[in-house]
Amino acid sequence: MQNTRYIGHLAALITIATWGTTFISTKVLLTGFQPLEILFFRFIMAFFALWLAYPKMLKTDKKQEPVFMGAGLCGICLYYLLENIALTYTQASNVSVIGSTAPFFTALLAHYFMHSAGSLSKQFIIGFFIVMSGIACISFNGAAMQLNPLGDLLAISAAVVWAFYALLTKKISSYGYPVILATRRTFFYGILFMLPALGFLDFELNLARFANTTYLFNIVFLGLGASALCFVTWNLAVRELGAVKASVYIYMVPVITVITSAIVLQEKITLLVALGTILTMTGLFISEYRPKKKQSKKAIE
């Protein structure tokens, strides 16, 4: 039991370490692609990668299909579409800090729809506010906060949609299907829900754009790394840790983004960023820490 929890934490860390770098790749691709185009190419690639990895059909109960459909709509289609469009209207720092509120919305929804979750503890709330203070330091780094009502509203909507996806994923994990097959089924519905939007949001197939090695590298990274691999590891983390505990790791995304930016974009890590990193990690620890219960004398005897 303990080993499976370690696997869940490791899977969450791998996922978040990768997802923390996706803002950079998406920003690069937005110079030559529309948000929906990035989304479509990314998940088409991810779907076929998972098919090659596990070329078997998933047979499900018909009553379970609406759950897979909901997960595909929320976690694949709506979340990334809202996030990608938000990045065209507002700063990446705004999207990052607002997106990091997803665990709070997950806990809120779990509290009302999964009463056994017991996620709205005083400890969780304290950890949340410490984390948000740290994320604010990291994201804005002393600069004036520039709000764009539309962009920031889209980012908030994305965070709420992800919370629904987290709970649906937890439900799917209870079915006991192989993680790769369940993830691929979710991708299928996500892509299916994208199709009606292709004709309305200036979608162009134009594969010649991938002759640009920068574009090719970033779409492969998003498709194979951040999608095919990381959705499998994320779903594994949710299965082992639960929707709320796994979602807490999303708090670390801005930290990873700052570190990656320093390495790739040569951005300096200031004292404010260092303080934000410490606050974020402290808040994560407080939200997750559960003191061990003392055994009674009778139990020991």
Side-chain angles (χ1 to χ4, degrees):
M1 182 69 178
Q2 192 68 19
N3 287 337
T4 60
R5 288 181 61 79
Y6 286 141
I7 291 172
H9 286 293
L10 179 60
L13 284 170
I14 291 172
T15 306
I16 294 306
T18 305
W19 281 350
T21 64
T22 57
F23 282 105
I24 296 172
S25 289
T26 302
K27 271 291 189 183
V28 170
L29 289 169
L30 282 170
T31 62
F33 295 82
Q34 296 295 325
L36 183 62
E37 291 173 339
I38 298 172
L39 187 61
F40 182 75
F41 290 131
R42 171 180 177 174
F43 282 100
I44 281 288
M45 185 183 301
F47 177 82
F48 284 108
L50 292 184
W51 184 272
L52 289 174
Y54 202 157
K56 292 185 179 181
M57 293 292 292
L58 176 63
K59 296 180 180 179
T60 64
D61 188 318
K62 290 183 179 180
K63 294 179 180 179
Q64 298 170 348
E65 286 303 307
V67 180
F68 282 100
M69 292 174 67
L73 176 63
C74 293
I76 308 304
C77 183
L78 291 180
Y79 173 76
Y80 283 101
L81 186 58
L82 289 168
E83 183 183 82
N84 287 0
I85 296 175
L87 283 168
T88 67
Y89 284 102
T90 191
Q91 300 179 108
S93 60
N94 289 41
V95 177
S96 178
V97 73
I98 293 171
S100 296
T101 62
F104 178 74
F105 289 116
T106 303
L108 196 64
L109 291 175
H111 178 72
Y112 287 107
F113 295 105
M114 298 168 62
H115 301 292
S116 60
S119 52
L120 293 184
S121 65
K122 186 181 296 184
Q123 188 171 303
F124 181 89
I125 299 297
I126 292 172
F128 170 79
F129 283 109
I130 293 175
V131 165
M132 292 311 298
S133 298
I135 290 172
C137 291
I138 291 170
S139 297
F140 305 118
N141 197 17
M145 184 176 178
Q146 299 176 8
L147 294 177
N148 180 295
L150 179 57
D152 295 323
L153 180 60
L154 288 170
I156 292 172
S157 300
V160 174
V161 165
W162 182 266
F164 279 103
Y165 169 73
L167 298 187
L168 289 168
T169 301
K170 179 59 179 174
K171 180 67 174 177
I172 289 172
S173 69
S174 70
Y175 298 151
Y177 297 122
V179 176
I180 292 179
L181 294 184
T183 303
R184 194 178 70 207
R185 179 62 60 88
T186 302
F187 282 5
F188 169 77
Y189 282 117
I191 294 168
L192 194 65
F193 282 117
M194 289 179 211
L195 294 179
L198 296 183
F200 298 97
L201 296 177
D202 300 322
F203 176 83
E204 291 183 21
L205 190 60
N206 191 10
L207 299 180
R209 287 174 287 183
F210 293 118
N212 182 319
T213 54
T214 299
Y215 289 159
L216 180 61
F217 170 80
N218 282 285
I219 199 65
V220 168
F221 169 71
L222 290 177
L224 299 185
S227 299
L229 172 64
C230 284
F231 267 83
V232 171
T233 55
W234 179 254
N235 290 343
L236 177 62
V238 170
R239 187 181 72 184
E240 301 301 337
L241 303 177
V244 175
K245 286 188 176 182
S247 291
V248 168
Y249 275 91
I250 293 174
Y251 287 142
M252 295 177 65
V253 168
V255 178
I256 302 299
T257 302
V258 168
I259 294 173
T260 306
S261 297
I263 296 172
V264 178
L265 304 177
Q266 306 300 312
E267 294 183 356
K268 293 182 179 180
I269 298 180
T270 64
L271 288 175
L272 196 60
V273 169
L275 174 62
T277 302
I278 293 171
L279 286 171
T280 301
M281 298 305 294
T282 300
L284 175 63
F285 176 78
I286 291 173
S287 295
E288 275 290 277
Y289 179 69
R290 297 291 183 273
K292 292 182 179 179
K293 294 181 180 180
K294 294 182 179 180
Q295 289 182 305
S296 65
K297 290 184 178 180
K298 290 185 178 180
I300 294 173
E301 292 172 357

